Amino acid sequence: MAERRRSWAEPFKIKMVELLKTTTPEARRHAIEQAGWNTFLLRSEDVYIDLLTDSGVSAMSDRQWAGMMRGDEAYAGSANFYHLRDTVEEIYSYRHTVPTHQGRGAEHLVSKLLIKPGDFVPGNMYFTTTRLHQELAGGAFVDVIIDNAHDPADPHPFKGNIDLEKLEALRARVGAERIPYVSLATAVNMAGGQPVSMANLRALRAWCDEHGIPIVHDMTRVAENAFFIQQREAGYRDRQVRDIVHEICALTEIATMSAKKDALVNIGGFLAMNDPDLYRRACDLVVVYEGLHTYGGLAGRDMEAMAIGIRESVDDNHIRARVGQVEYLGALLDRAGVPIVKPVGGHAVFLDARRILPHIPQHQFPAQALAAAIYLDSGVRSMERGAVSAGRDKETGENYMPSLELVRLTIPRRVYTQAHMDVVAESVIEVAGNAGQILGLRFAYEPEQLRFFLGRFEPVSPA
């Protein structure tokens, strides 16, 4: 007799709720026009279900809130720093930790410490702030992710993998001395939350050892990546997520972390490493930009909540429910025929805006237009991940036109119920069914850097 699949439920119960406000179509139209058709510029009070990001918006546990009451707010040598440091070493393997206010603080430090003008930084697809810090330090990002990652419909189970042939071709062209490190993201955000396999990471480790090049691990969503290894890679089905996370991290020597994602806190991050000399240099630099090396711009209570959240994030029951909710939404949309990135990633469902809006050319930003249309329909806030996020080529001034033109429905951890996901799915299905009515957009105001945050748009009238 075949084993019956049993349902799972969230591994928590609700102790406190935040009341939501529903909005009218007229109010939403006014709000999105005032925001310049940019969902980042909407006021939170005008949003019904907020899927803009999973960064800093997760629900903390009672243990985390209790821990915040134990905040040691000493300027130097906070007890919470030492708890965080020891937790990072135990769970993630890195021996030295420098707190930062969030992940981009760590990206800034590592870029200034390791990159020289004229360097090339290979990585498995760019991330916006990561690439900008690399460029500001004088480096040039080079994408070495496998080709499968650029095809939303490709079912490859590990689309975050690095293509070692592309990496070797870069080394042969510029020399190992001009590659300060390989930038490795686990659960690659811009590819749709796609994971890296342990086999690929081991092969990368061997290549880096051969050429004396370190790996800088963007470990923002490492627990989600570990879950996919557990579920998809041979030999890991009976391993705990916590052990897989440790194995991933132990194959790298430096890491940047935005704790606002996996680690379940509202603010915070860190730069971690094994090299004591690099740690000393990082401590010297963090004082300039973030704060003393034992607080790095954070309150003691925030470091305590982070240490507790790290342990909760690698619990198998937590991560199964977290990814399960994302997969639930993805399955609803897939069954309805809405084009999405497959396989569904760990933190978000990514809509394929090019296929949903084939009548809008990419230079009129179909993903931005689709995100605005979803908000207009239901008050659900999502975000663009396409040409707007990609920015412009500094040499030519032309827009980058990435192969992936996506809208990200990003699910905060421990915040929404499955009923909220039903509402989101119904809205997306409705909008996709009436996609022909959506107009393209053009910039009304374009910032020089990271334009997806503050850019303003206006609809393009049909010809």
Side-chain angles (χ1 to χ4, degrees):
M1 181 176 177
E3 183 179 354
R4 179 183 299 174
R5 182 176 177 83
R6 300 293 295 271
S7 296
W8 55 266
E10 291 82 357
F12 55 82
K13 59 183 180 180
I14 297 169
K15 184 174 291 188
M16 184 176 70
V17 298
E18 178 183 346
L19 301 181
L20 298 178
K21 182 182 76 173
T22 56
T23 56
T24 65
E26 294 76 19
R28 293 194 293 273
R29 166 68 64 171
H30 176 75
I32 197 67
E33 289 176 349
Q34 289 295 111
W37 301 87
N38 185 350
T39 53
F40 268 99
L41 298 180
L42 290 167
R43 294 189 178 198
S44 175
E45 64 185 16
D46 294 326
V47 174
Y48 177 39
I49 298 174
D50 202 343
L51 306 186
L52 182 75
T53 181
D54 61 333
S55 179
V57 293
S58 297
M60 292 203 302
S61 70
D62 54 351
R63 292 175 177 83
Q64 287 178 287
W65 282 110
M68 291 187 76
M69 299 304 295
R70 300 183 62 190
D72 175 4
E73 307 307 340
Y75 187 88
S78 166
N80 309 120
F81 163 74
Y82 296 105
H83 184 200
L84 174 62
R85 180 201 65 182
D86 294 345
T87 300
V88 169
E89 182 170 7
E90 178 186 345
I91 303 299
Y92 297 139
S93 83
Y94 305 110
R95 292 191 290 274
H96 305 290
T97 299
V98 179
T100 58
H101 75 284
Q102 59 184 49
R104 68 195 61 174
E107 293 169 350
H108 176 217
L109 294 178
V110 78
S111 297
K112 290 187 72 69
L113 287 166
L114 298 181
I115 297 174
K116 305 182 302 298
D119 280 349
F120 296 85
V121 186
N124 53 343
M125 198 170 284
Y126 82 98
F127 184 68
T128 51
T129 58
T130 312
R131 185 179 70 185
L132 178 58
H133 283 303
Q134 292 165 352
E135 291 173 348
L136 290 173
F141 173 79
V142 181
D143 191 0
V144 293
I145 203 167
I146 60 175
D147 290 340
N148 312 70
H150 296 283
D151 180 358
D154 192 308
H156 193 292
F158 293 103
K159 289 163 75 172
N161 281 353
I162 281 182
D163 187 326
L164 293 176
E165 291 185 1
K166 292 180 182 179
L167 190 59
E168 174 57 25
L170 175 66
R171 186 207 62 80
R173 178 168 64 87
V174 306
E177 66 279 2
R178 296 182 68 189
I179 301 176
Y181 60 86
V182 176
S183 181
L184 175 82
T186 40
V188 182
N189 189 352
M190 301 299 282
Q194 301 299 314
V196 177
S197 72
M198 194 71 79
N200 184 252
L201 178 52
R202 289 190 176 282
L204 174 64
R205 176 73 273 160
W207 184 91
C208 287
D209 287 345
E210 179 183 353
H211 298 290
I213 298 172
I215 298 172
V216 174
H217 175 200
D218 177 352
M219 58 179 294
T220 296
R221 298 181 177 89
V222 66
E224 293 166 10
N225 198 110
F227 177 78
F228 287 126
I229 288 174
Q230 182 194 66
Q231 298 299 307
R232 299 176 185 175
E233 192 162 0
Y236 286 90
R237 175 65 73 165
D238 297 327
R239 297 277 302 280
Q240 291 186 329
V241 165
R242 173 178 172 143
D243 296 334
I244 300 171
V245 165
H246 193 278
E247 184 176 342
I248 291 170
C249 295
L251 288 167
T252 70
E253 52 264 75
I254 305 167
T256 60
M257 176 63 155
S258 172
K260 297 166 66 176
K261 285 82 166 178
D262 259 5
L264 301 163
V265 290
N266 303 129
I267 197 69
F270 57 78
L271 174 64
M273 65 218 73
N274 294 322
D275 181 355
D277 182 63
L278 182 62
Y279 174 63
R280 177 191 57 76
R281 293 168 56 210
C283 289
D284 291 344
L285 199 60
V286 75
V287 175
V288 178
Y289 294 106
E290 300 278 328
L292 198 67
H293 68 288
T294 56
Y295 78 90
L298 293 173
R301 56 184 175 271
D302 292 319
M303 290 189 285
E304 187 67 20
M306 192 191 311
I308 296 168
I310 287 170
R311 294 182 185 278
E312 293 180 355
S313 75
V314 296
D315 177 79
D316 280 67
N317 290 324
H318 159 74
I319 201 68
R320 184 184 302 112
R322 190 282 183 282
V323 177
Q325 190 173 53
V326 180
E327 292 177 335
Y328 175 82
L329 176 59
L332 291 176
L333 296 175
D334 190 36
R335 285 198 295 268
V338 177
I340 62 173
V341 173
K342 297 179 181 177
V344 173
H347 70 293
V349 177
F350 288 73
L351 308 177
D352 187 349
R354 294 176 106 171
R355 291 172 61 196
I356 295 172
L357 304 176
H359 62 288
I360 298 180
Q362 196 171 15
H363 70 269
Q364 292 183 5
F365 311 124
Q368 190 76 37
L370 181 58
I374 293 169
Y375 173 76
L376 275 171
D377 177 76
S378 60
V380 172
R381 175 158 64 171
S382 56
M383 73 166 295
E384 180 269 0
R385 278 298 184 222
V388 175
S389 292
R392 292 185 182 272
D393 187 304
K394 287 181 180 278
E395 300 296 325
T396 67
E398 296 295 318
N399 284 310
Y400 287 119
M401 291 298 175
S403 54
L404 297 177
E405 182 75 16
L406 309 175
V407 169
R408 192 180 76 181
L409 302 168
T410 331
I411 302 178
R413 296 158 185 82
R414 308 192 295 205
V415 171
Y416 292 116
T417 66
Q418 305 298 65
H420 288 105
M421 298 302 102
D422 293 336
V423 171
V424 173
E426 290 168 5
S427 176
V428 172
I429 293 166
E430 178 73 17
V431 170
N434 295 285
Q437 301 175 17
I438 300 174
L439 300 177
L441 300 172
R442 62 179 169 231
F443 272 107
Y445 164 67
E446 180 181 356
E448 289 187 22
Q449 309 286 2
L450 301 177
R451 59 191 188 174
F452 61 94
F453 282 129
L454 297 177
R456 289 181 170 271
F457 303 85
E458 58 190 13
V460 177
S461 300

PDB file of all heavy atoms in Angstrom, residues 1 24 39 67 69-70 97 108 125 136 139 166 186 194 220 227 264 309 335 341 355-356 359-360 381 401 435 451 454:
ATOM      1  N   MET A   1       0.849  -1.194   0.000  1.00  0.00           N
ATOM      2  CA  MET A   1       0.000   0.000   0.000  1.00  0.00           C
ATOM      3  C   MET A   1       0.890   1.252   0.000  1.00  0.00           C
ATOM      4  O   MET A   1       1.837   1.369   0.778  1.00  0.00           O
ATOM      5  CB  MET A   1      -0.899  -0.002   1.236  1.00  0.00           C
ATOM      6  CG  MET A   1      -1.849   1.190   1.321  1.00  0.00           C
ATOM      7  SD  MET A   1      -2.957   1.052   2.757  1.00  0.00           S
ATOM      8  CE  MET A   1      -3.835   2.608   2.604  1.00  0.00           C
ATOM      9  N   THR A  24      -9.655  50.466  -1.147  1.00  0.00           N
ATOM     10  CA  THR A  24     -10.563  50.501  -2.295  1.00  0.00           C
ATOM     11  C   THR A  24      -9.760  50.668  -3.583  1.00  0.00           C
ATOM     12  O   THR A  24      -8.617  51.157  -3.557  1.00  0.00           O
ATOM     13  CB  THR A  24     -11.540  51.671  -2.172  1.00  0.00           C
ATOM     14  OG1 THR A  24     -10.790  52.911  -2.242  1.00  0.00           O
ATOM     15  CG2 THR A  24     -12.306  51.612  -0.853  1.00  0.00           C
ATOM     16  N   THR A  39       6.368  50.367  -6.487  1.00  0.00           N
ATOM     17  CA  THR A  39       5.835  49.778  -5.266  1.00  0.00           C
ATOM     18  C   THR A  39       6.716  50.061  -4.053  1.00  0.00           C
ATOM     19  O   THR A  39       6.225  50.025  -2.916  1.00  0.00           O
ATOM     20  CB  THR A  39       5.640  48.265  -5.428  1.00  0.00           C
ATOM     21  OG1 THR A  39       6.867  47.675  -5.881  1.00  0.00           O
ATOM     22  CG2 THR A  39       4.539  47.958  -6.451  1.00  0.00           C
ATOM     23  N   GLY A  67      14.804  37.594  24.577  1.00  0.00           N
ATOM     24  CA  GLY A  67      16.236  37.871  24.499  1.00  0.00           C
ATOM     25  C   GLY A  67      16.546  39.349  24.382  1.00  0.00           C
ATOM     26  O   GLY A  67      17.568  39.835  24.900  1.00  0.00           O
ATOM     27  N   MET A  69      15.194  41.676  25.874  1.00  0.00           N
ATOM     28  CA  MET A  69      15.190  42.283  27.205  1.00  0.00           C
ATOM     29  C   MET A  69      16.522  42.077  27.924  1.00  0.00           C
ATOM     30  O   MET A  69      16.774  42.680  28.973  1.00  0.00           O
ATOM     31  CB  MET A  69      14.040  41.711  28.037  1.00  0.00           C
ATOM     32  CG  MET A  69      12.661  41.972  27.466  1.00  0.00           C
ATOM     33  SD  MET A  69      12.342  43.734  27.202  1.00  0.00           S
ATOM     34  CE  MET A  69      12.359  44.334  28.885  1.00  0.00           C
ATOM     35  N   ARG A  70      17.364  41.231  27.368  1.00  0.00           N
ATOM     36  CA  ARG A  70      18.685  40.985  27.954  1.00  0.00           C
ATOM     37  C   ARG A  70      19.770  41.737  27.195  1.00  0.00           C
ATOM     38  O   ARG A  70      20.948  41.388  27.269  1.00  0.00           O
ATOM     39  CB  ARG A  70      18.980  39.498  27.970  1.00  0.00           C
ATOM     40  CG  ARG A  70      17.967  38.671  28.774  1.00  0.00           C
ATOM     41  CD  ARG A  70      18.357  37.211  28.807  1.00  0.00           C
ATOM     42  NE  ARG A  70      19.641  37.019  29.468  1.00  0.00           N
ATOM     43  CZ  ARG A  70      20.312  35.870  29.479  1.00  0.00           C
ATOM     44  NH1 ARG A  70      19.807  34.799  28.851  1.00  0.00           N
ATOM     45  NH2 ARG A  70      21.458  35.768  30.096  1.00  0.00           N
ATOM     46  N   THR A  97      33.762  37.116  13.724  1.00  0.00           N
ATOM     47  CA  THR A  97      32.533  37.800  13.311  1.00  0.00           C
ATOM     48  C   THR A  97      32.644  39.297  13.572  1.00  0.00           C
ATOM     49  O   THR A  97      33.040  39.714  14.660  1.00  0.00           O
ATOM     50  CB  THR A  97      31.314  37.249  14.076  1.00  0.00           C
ATOM     51  OG1 THR A  97      31.162  35.862  13.796  1.00  0.00           O
ATOM     52  CG2 THR A  97      30.035  37.981  13.674  1.00  0.00           C
ATOM     53  N   HIS A 108      30.071  46.140   1.769  1.00  0.00           N
ATOM     54  CA  HIS A 108      30.940  47.312   1.673  1.00  0.00           C
ATOM     55  C   HIS A 108      32.319  47.004   2.239  1.00  0.00           C
ATOM     56  O   HIS A 108      33.356  47.275   1.606  1.00  0.00           O
ATOM     57  CB  HIS A 108      30.289  48.472   2.423  1.00  0.00           C
ATOM     58  CG  HIS A 108      31.121  49.713   2.477  1.00  0.00           C
ATOM     59  ND1 HIS A 108      31.154  50.530   3.583  1.00  0.00           N
ATOM     60  CD2 HIS A 108      31.967  50.269   1.576  1.00  0.00           C
ATOM     61  CE1 HIS A 108      31.976  51.540   3.359  1.00  0.00           C
ATOM     62  NE2 HIS A 108      32.485  51.412   2.154  1.00  0.00           N
ATOM     63  N   MET A 125      25.460  34.994 -10.646  1.00  0.00           N
ATOM     64  CA  MET A 125      24.483  36.038 -10.924  1.00  0.00           C
ATOM     65  C   MET A 125      24.667  37.208  -9.941  1.00  0.00           C
ATOM     66  O   MET A 125      24.959  37.005  -8.766  1.00  0.00           O
ATOM     67  CB  MET A 125      23.042  35.523 -10.918  1.00  0.00           C
ATOM     68  CG  MET A 125      22.068  36.472 -11.619  1.00  0.00           C
ATOM     69  SD  MET A 125      20.410  35.756 -11.872  1.00  0.00           S
ATOM     70  CE  MET A 125      20.688  34.638 -13.253  1.00  0.00           C
ATOM     71  N   LEU A 136      32.100  50.090  -6.956  1.00  0.00           N
ATOM     72  CA  LEU A 136      32.611  51.272  -6.255  1.00  0.00           C
ATOM     73  C   LEU A 136      34.047  51.059  -5.767  1.00  0.00           C
ATOM     74  O   LEU A 136      34.810  52.016  -5.632  1.00  0.00           O
ATOM     75  CB  LEU A 136      31.700  51.620  -5.075  1.00  0.00           C
ATOM     76  CG  LEU A 136      30.310  52.164  -5.438  1.00  0.00           C
ATOM     77  CD1 LEU A 136      29.446  52.307  -4.183  1.00  0.00           C
ATOM     78  CD2 LEU A 136      30.410  53.488  -6.177  1.00  0.00           C
ATOM     79  N   GLY A 139      36.159  47.165  -8.984  1.00  0.00           N
ATOM     80  CA  GLY A 139      36.073  45.863  -9.627  1.00  0.00           C
ATOM     81  C   GLY A 139      34.982  45.800 -10.687  1.00  0.00           C
ATOM     82  O   GLY A 139      34.173  46.719 -10.825  1.00  0.00           O
ATOM     83  N   LYS A 166      33.125  28.563 -17.356  1.00  0.00           N
ATOM     84  CA  LYS A 166      33.114  30.028 -17.455  1.00  0.00           C
ATOM     85  C   LYS A 166      34.146  30.633 -16.494  1.00  0.00           C
ATOM     86  O   LYS A 166      34.841  31.600 -16.828  1.00  0.00           O
ATOM     87  CB  LYS A 166      31.728  30.571 -17.121  1.00  0.00           C
ATOM     88  CG  LYS A 166      30.637  30.241 -18.128  1.00  0.00           C
ATOM     89  CD  LYS A 166      29.315  30.847 -17.684  1.00  0.00           C
ATOM     90  CE  LYS A 166      28.179  30.498 -18.634  1.00  0.00           C
ATOM     91  NZ  LYS A 166      26.878  31.073 -18.178  1.00  0.00           N
ATOM     92  N   THR A 186      24.282  31.549  -1.956  1.00  0.00           N
ATOM     93  CA  THR A 186      23.424  30.374  -1.833  1.00  0.00           C
ATOM     94  C   THR A 186      21.973  30.834  -1.931  1.00  0.00           C
ATOM     95  O   THR A 186      21.617  31.909  -1.447  1.00  0.00           O
ATOM     96  CB  THR A 186      23.692  29.642  -0.506  1.00  0.00           C
ATOM     97  OG1 THR A 186      23.897  30.590   0.560  1.00  0.00           O
ATOM     98  CG2 THR A 186      24.918  28.754  -0.619  1.00  0.00           C
ATOM     99  N   GLN A 194      17.183  30.280  -6.441  1.00  0.00           N
ATOM    100  CA  GLN A 194      17.638  28.954  -6.871  1.00  0.00           C
ATOM    101  C   GLN A 194      18.894  28.512  -6.116  1.00  0.00           C
ATOM    102  O   GLN A 194      19.832  29.295  -5.930  1.00  0.00           O
ATOM    103  CB  GLN A 194      17.915  28.954  -8.371  1.00  0.00           C
ATOM    104  CG  GLN A 194      16.696  29.320  -9.204  1.00  0.00           C
ATOM    105  CD  GLN A 194      15.547  28.341  -9.009  1.00  0.00           C
ATOM    106  OE1 GLN A 194      15.743  27.127  -9.030  1.00  0.00           O
ATOM    107  NE2 GLN A 194      14.345  28.858  -8.807  1.00  0.00           N
ATOM    108  N   THR A 220      22.967  34.841   2.921  1.00  0.00           N
ATOM    109  CA  THR A 220      21.716  35.435   3.371  1.00  0.00           C
ATOM    110  C   THR A 220      20.595  34.414   3.503  1.00  0.00           C
ATOM    111  O   THR A 220      19.785  34.483   4.420  1.00  0.00           O
ATOM    112  CB  THR A 220      21.314  36.551   2.391  1.00  0.00           C
ATOM    113  OG1 THR A 220      22.300  37.584   2.445  1.00  0.00           O
ATOM    114  CG2 THR A 220      19.958  37.129   2.723  1.00  0.00           C
ATOM    115  N   PHE A 227      18.040  23.281   2.761  1.00  0.00           N
ATOM    116  CA  PHE A 227      16.803  22.493   2.659  1.00  0.00           C
ATOM    117  C   PHE A 227      16.675  21.877   1.271  1.00  0.00           C
ATOM    118  O   PHE A 227      16.310  20.696   1.139  1.00  0.00           O
ATOM    119  CB  PHE A 227      15.595  23.375   2.961  1.00  0.00           C
ATOM    120  CG  PHE A 227      14.273  22.666   2.807  1.00  0.00           C
ATOM    121  CD1 PHE A 227      13.812  21.803   3.780  1.00  0.00           C
ATOM    122  CD2 PHE A 227      13.504  22.856   1.668  1.00  0.00           C
ATOM    123  CE1 PHE A 227      12.597  21.135   3.632  1.00  0.00           C
ATOM    124  CE2 PHE A 227      12.289  22.197   1.512  1.00  0.00           C
ATOM    125  CZ  PHE A 227      11.837  21.340   2.503  1.00  0.00           C
ATOM    126  N   LEU A 264      15.918  35.886  10.855  1.00  0.00           N
ATOM    127  CA  LEU A 264      14.634  36.198  11.489  1.00  0.00           C
ATOM    128  C   LEU A 264      14.658  37.437  12.375  1.00  0.00           C
ATOM    129  O   LEU A 264      13.978  37.496  13.398  1.00  0.00           O
ATOM    130  CB  LEU A 264      14.150  34.987  12.308  1.00  0.00           C
ATOM    131  CG  LEU A 264      13.948  33.693  11.522  1.00  0.00           C
ATOM    132  CD1 LEU A 264      13.874  32.496  12.470  1.00  0.00           C
ATOM    133  CD2 LEU A 264      12.680  33.783  10.682  1.00  0.00           C
ATOM    134  N   GLY A 309      17.774  33.895  16.669  1.00  0.00           N
ATOM    135  CA  GLY A 309      17.153  33.639  15.371  1.00  0.00           C
ATOM    136  C   GLY A 309      17.973  32.710  14.501  1.00  0.00           C
ATOM    137  O   GLY A 309      17.419  31.909  13.742  1.00  0.00           O
ATOM    138  N   ARG A 335      -0.731  25.826 -11.451  1.00  0.00           N
ATOM    139  CA  ARG A 335      -1.937  25.103 -11.885  1.00  0.00           C
ATOM    140  C   ARG A 335      -2.870  25.999 -12.693  1.00  0.00           C
ATOM    141  O   ARG A 335      -3.597  25.517 -13.564  1.00  0.00           O
ATOM    142  CB  ARG A 335      -2.677  24.537 -10.671  1.00  0.00           C
ATOM    143  CG  ARG A 335      -2.015  23.313 -10.064  1.00  0.00           C
ATOM    144  CD  ARG A 335      -2.976  22.549  -9.171  1.00  0.00           C
ATOM    145  NE  ARG A 335      -3.385  23.325  -8.005  1.00  0.00           N
ATOM    146  CZ  ARG A 335      -2.769  23.293  -6.832  1.00  0.00           C
ATOM    147  NH1 ARG A 335      -1.688  22.532  -6.672  1.00  0.00           N
ATOM    148  NH2 ARG A 335      -3.205  24.020  -5.813  1.00  0.00           N
ATOM    149  N   VAL A 341       8.904  31.220 -12.493  1.00  0.00           N
ATOM    150  CA  VAL A 341      10.219  30.592 -12.516  1.00  0.00           C
ATOM    151  C   VAL A 341      10.120  29.222 -11.859  1.00  0.00           C
ATOM    152  O   VAL A 341       9.574  29.089 -10.756  1.00  0.00           O
ATOM    153  CB  VAL A 341      11.264  31.456 -11.788  1.00  0.00           C
ATOM    154  CG1 VAL A 341      12.590  30.707 -11.666  1.00  0.00           C
ATOM    155  CG2 VAL A 341      11.471  32.779 -12.521  1.00  0.00           C
ATOM    156  N   ARG A 355       6.598  36.747 -20.334  1.00  0.00           N
ATOM    157  CA  ARG A 355       5.582  35.865 -20.892  1.00  0.00           C
ATOM    158  C   ARG A 355       4.178  36.331 -20.539  1.00  0.00           C
ATOM    159  O   ARG A 355       3.240  36.107 -21.308  1.00  0.00           O
ATOM    160  CB  ARG A 355       5.818  34.437 -20.406  1.00  0.00           C
ATOM    161  CG  ARG A 355       7.079  33.803 -20.996  1.00  0.00           C
ATOM    162  CD  ARG A 355       7.386  32.467 -20.347  1.00  0.00           C
ATOM    163  NE  ARG A 355       6.315  31.505 -20.537  1.00  0.00           N
ATOM    164  CZ  ARG A 355       6.184  30.371 -19.834  1.00  0.00           C
ATOM    165  NH1 ARG A 355       7.068  30.107 -18.862  1.00  0.00           N
ATOM    166  NH2 ARG A 355       5.198  29.536 -20.079  1.00  0.00           N
ATOM    167  N   ILE A 356       4.008  36.959 -19.396  1.00  0.00           N
ATOM    168  CA  ILE A 356       2.686  37.464 -19.012  1.00  0.00           C
ATOM    169  C   ILE A 356       2.319  38.699 -19.827  1.00  0.00           C
ATOM    170  O   ILE A 356       1.151  38.891 -20.197  1.00  0.00           O
ATOM    171  CB  ILE A 356       2.654  37.765 -17.508  1.00  0.00           C
ATOM    172  CG1 ILE A 356       2.825  36.470 -16.696  1.00  0.00           C
ATOM    173  CG2 ILE A 356       1.342  38.441 -17.110  1.00  0.00           C
ATOM    174  CD1 ILE A 356       3.000  36.695 -15.207  1.00  0.00           C
ATOM    175  N   HIS A 359       3.280  41.941 -24.928  1.00  0.00           N
ATOM    176  CA  HIS A 359       3.062  43.141 -25.742  1.00  0.00           C
ATOM    177  C   HIS A 359       3.873  44.342 -25.261  1.00  0.00           C
ATOM    178  O   HIS A 359       3.926  45.364 -25.952  1.00  0.00           O
ATOM    179  CB  HIS A 359       1.568  43.509 -25.734  1.00  0.00           C
ATOM    180  CG  HIS A 359       1.031  43.853 -24.375  1.00  0.00           C
ATOM    181  ND1 HIS A 359       0.825  42.892 -23.399  1.00  0.00           N
ATOM    182  CD2 HIS A 359       0.672  45.057 -23.813  1.00  0.00           C
ATOM    183  CE1 HIS A 359       0.345  43.491 -22.308  1.00  0.00           C
ATOM    184  NE2 HIS A 359       0.246  44.791 -22.540  1.00  0.00           N
ATOM    185  N   ILE A 360       4.502  44.218 -24.083  1.00  0.00           N
ATOM    186  CA  ILE A 360       5.295  45.333 -23.561  1.00  0.00           C
ATOM    187  C   ILE A 360       6.776  45.042 -23.791  1.00  0.00           C
ATOM    188  O   ILE A 360       7.315  44.074 -23.249  1.00  0.00           O
ATOM    189  CB  ILE A 360       5.032  45.552 -22.059  1.00  0.00           C
ATOM    190  CG1 ILE A 360       3.563  45.916 -21.822  1.00  0.00           C
ATOM    191  CG2 ILE A 360       5.944  46.646 -21.512  1.00  0.00           C
ATOM    192  CD1 ILE A 360       3.209  46.141 -20.363  1.00  0.00           C
ATOM    193  N   ARG A 381       1.453  44.052  -2.488  1.00  0.00           N
ATOM    194  CA  ARG A 381       2.687  44.701  -2.939  1.00  0.00           C
ATOM    195  C   ARG A 381       3.744  43.663  -3.262  1.00  0.00           C
ATOM    196  O   ARG A 381       4.089  42.828  -2.421  1.00  0.00           O
ATOM    197  CB  ARG A 381       3.207  45.683  -1.886  1.00  0.00           C
ATOM    198  CG  ARG A 381       4.541  46.286  -2.271  1.00  0.00           C
ATOM    199  CD  ARG A 381       4.860  47.599  -1.595  1.00  0.00           C
ATOM    200  NE  ARG A 381       4.994  47.515  -0.148  1.00  0.00           N
ATOM    201  CZ  ARG A 381       5.440  48.538   0.607  1.00  0.00           C
ATOM    202  NH1 ARG A 381       5.773  49.691   0.023  1.00  0.00           N
ATOM    203  NH2 ARG A 381       5.530  48.410   1.912  1.00  0.00           N
ATOM    204  N   MET A 401      19.775  44.667 -20.230  1.00  0.00           N
ATOM    205  CA  MET A 401      18.548  43.955 -20.537  1.00  0.00           C
ATOM    206  C   MET A 401      18.725  42.480 -20.156  1.00  0.00           C
ATOM    207  O   MET A 401      19.106  41.659 -20.985  1.00  0.00           O
ATOM    208  CB  MET A 401      18.192  44.104 -22.023  1.00  0.00           C
ATOM    209  CG  MET A 401      17.768  45.507 -22.400  1.00  0.00           C
ATOM    210  SD  MET A 401      16.265  46.010 -21.516  1.00  0.00           S
ATOM    211  CE  MET A 401      16.111  47.713 -22.049  1.00  0.00           C
ATOM    212  N   ALA A 435      -4.052  40.782 -18.942  1.00  0.00           N
ATOM    213  CA  ALA A 435      -2.738  41.400 -19.124  1.00  0.00           C
ATOM    214  C   ALA A 435      -2.698  42.380 -20.279  1.00  0.00           C
ATOM    215  O   ALA A 435      -1.910  43.332 -20.270  1.00  0.00           O
ATOM    216  CB  ALA A 435      -1.689  40.306 -19.330  1.00  0.00           C
ATOM    217  N   ARG A 451      18.361  52.219  -8.905  1.00  0.00           N
ATOM    218  CA  ARG A 451      17.216  53.031  -9.299  1.00  0.00           C
ATOM    219  C   ARG A 451      15.872  52.407  -8.969  1.00  0.00           C
ATOM    220  O   ARG A 451      14.852  53.096  -8.929  1.00  0.00           O
ATOM    221  CB  ARG A 451      17.294  53.324 -10.801  1.00  0.00           C
ATOM    222  CG  ARG A 451      17.314  52.075 -11.682  1.00  0.00           C
ATOM    223  CD  ARG A 451      17.658  52.431 -13.099  1.00  0.00           C
ATOM    224  NE  ARG A 451      17.488  51.274 -13.981  1.00  0.00           N
ATOM    225  CZ  ARG A 451      17.613  51.337 -15.308  1.00  0.00           C
ATOM    226  NH1 ARG A 451      17.912  52.493 -15.885  1.00  0.00           N
ATOM    227  NH2 ARG A 451      17.433  50.267 -16.044  1.00  0.00           N
ATOM    228  N   LEU A 454      14.161  54.211  -5.679  1.00  0.00           N
ATOM    229  CA  LEU A 454      13.606  55.560  -5.647  1.00  0.00           C
ATOM    230  C   LEU A 454      13.125  56.064  -7.006  1.00  0.00           C
ATOM    231  O   LEU A 454      12.631  57.193  -7.103  1.00  0.00           O
ATOM    232  CB  LEU A 454      14.647  56.542  -5.088  1.00  0.00           C
ATOM    233  CG  LEU A 454      15.085  56.302  -3.636  1.00  0.00           C
ATOM    234  CD1 LEU A 454      16.166  57.293  -3.246  1.00  0.00           C
ATOM    235  CD2 LEU A 454      13.905  56.431  -2.686  1.00  0.00           C
TER     236      LEU A 454
END
